[in-house]
């Protein structure tokens, strides 16, 4: 489950928070991105990505290793503090933001703007 993955990733001193989603596309290979919030002043580089992936592989298994790791400013959370995995997953699978996100029910509504932009970039890339 995701809780074990979060424990492994967030045990690294550089990582403050994380979110993972497994995007399974009909007829296509799945894509599992991991989003991380790093300590202030740090920038995600190849070395840290390798250490994150190694931590996941060691703590869980090779099949749990994310395909890509992205640095984000914040992880979208509900007012009660729960990570918004399902809305982010739906958004990245092409759902309209207004259909899956209720900004007034979020603790940090501005955090979803980055994910909306990523979803739009992915959709444009698929179309071209």
């Amino acid at each position: 489950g995701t809780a074990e993955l979060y424990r492994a990733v967030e045990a690294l001193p550089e990582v403050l928070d994380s979110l993972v989603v497994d995007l399974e596309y009909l007829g296509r290979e799945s894509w599992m991105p991991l989003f991380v919030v790093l300590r202030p002043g740090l920038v995600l580089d190849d070395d840290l990505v390798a250490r994150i992936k190694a931590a996941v592989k060691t703590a869980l298994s090779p099949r749990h290793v994310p395909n890509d790791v992205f640095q984000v400013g914040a992880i979208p959370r509900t007012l009660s503090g729960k990570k918004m995995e399902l809305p982010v997953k739906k958004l990245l699978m092409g759902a309209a933001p207004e259909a899956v996100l209720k900004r007034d029910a979020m603790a940090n509504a501005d955090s979803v703007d980055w994910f909306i932009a990523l979803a739009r970039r992915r959709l444009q890339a698929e179309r071209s």
Side-chain angles (χ1 to χ4, degrees):
T2 55
E4 292 84 10
L5 188 139
Y6 295 143
R7 264 196 297 283
V9 171
E10 293 167 20
L12 295 168
E14 297 89 345
V15 180
L16 296 176
D17 201 3
S18 60
L19 177 81
V20 69
V21 291
D22 188 3
L23 304 178
E24 299 171 32
Y25 294 98
L26 293 174
R28 286 186 266 167
E29 194 173 322
S30 74
W31 178 59
M32 191 167 71
L34 171 68
F35 306 97
V36 294
V37 176
L38 301 180
R39 293 198 180 284
L42 297 182
V43 176
L44 187 66
D45 60 15
D46 291 342
D47 176 62
L48 184 52
V49 168
R51 289 192 298 116
I52 288 169
K53 288 183 174 187
V56 172
K57 184 177 178 181
T58 300
L60 292 117
S61 76
R63 79 176 182 90
H64 291 92
V65 174
N67 298 97
D68 293 300
V69 182
F70 296 92
Q71 181 175 356
V72 296
I75 299 301
R77 291 185 177 271
T78 64
L79 290 173
S80 63
K82 186 174 185 279
K83 295 179 188 199
M84 296 180 64
E85 292 173 359
L86 191 56
V88 168
K89 178 178 180 169
K90 288 179 178 180
L91 184 68
L92 293 175
M93 290 186 78
E98 57 278 2
V100 295
L101 299 168
K102 305 247 183 297
R103 288 181 183 260
D104 58 348
M106 294 181 63
N108 53 355
D110 291 345
S111 65
V112 297
D113 294 337
W114 187 93
F115 293 88
I116 291 169
L118 175 63
R120 286 188 180 135
R121 287 193 306 272
R122 287 182 49 79
L123 189 60
Q124 288 173 345
E126 285 179 10
R127 289 181 178 158
S128 49

